[in-house]
Amino acid sequence: QCLLTGSWRSDTGCRMVVSLLRKDGSFSGSYLSGSDAGDSETLTSPLEGSQQDTRLVPQPTFSFTVHWQLQETARTTVFLGQCYVGTNGEETLHTLWLLREAAESSDDDWKATR
């Protein structure tokens, strides 16, 4: 059974910490970008998300949003993924993400999402 509570590390050194998983599947925590992510110092930002009911689906899908705590720019990242349990019982998260930066105008909208 996949439970998101705890600390998770990405291949690039970023870390997600889920500190509270509620009975309804919603969760909160923090996201720490790693030095491999292009930042000279580690940034910690809050996250909020939701996970499928693990009583119904043993390898649930989940999503969460990170609102970056950056003064120079407004950014939000949305992650969507699934938790897998291997034959050895180890939990692994597979995710896709979109990063959105605030655009100066609608003409710049095309370059605001990565």
Side-chain angles (χ1 to χ4, degrees):
Q1 181 178 9
C2 281
L3 295 175
L4 292 180
T5 304
S7 181
W8 300 88
R9 185 168 304 279
S10 75
D11 295 339
T12 61
C14 297
R15 191 163 53 114
M16 174 178 81
V17 177
V18 177
S19 54
L20 179 61
L21 178 61
R22 298 172 195 87
K23 289 182 181 182
D24 67 356
S26 64
F27 59 89
S28 59
S30 59
Y31 194 87
L32 298 88
S33 64
S35 58
D36 293 338
D39 297 316
S40 59
E41 60 186 49
T42 301
L43 301 171
T44 302
S45 298
L47 68 82
E48 294 289 330
S50 180
Q51 173 183 333
Q52 281 182 304
D53 189 338
T54 56
R55 294 172 297 176
L56 302 175
V57 182
Q59 300 186 112
T61 60
F62 62 89
S63 63
F64 64 94
T65 302
V66 177
H67 295 286
W68 297 100
Q69 302 297 316
L70 305 170
Q71 292 181 4
E72 69 275 5
T73 183
R75 293 181 179 170
T76 300
T77 305
V78 179
F79 293 80
L80 178 65
Q82 186 168 356
C83 182
Y84 294 99
V85 180
T87 56
N88 61 357
E90 183 176 320
E91 297 171 332
T92 304
L93 305 181
H94 289 242
T95 62
L96 296 173
W97 58 270
L98 286 174
L99 172 74
R100 177 67 187 208
E101 295 179 313
E104 294 294 320
S105 70
S106 62
D107 292 339
D108 294 330
D109 186 66
W110 66 272
K111 63 181 180 179
T113 300
R114 294 188 240 168

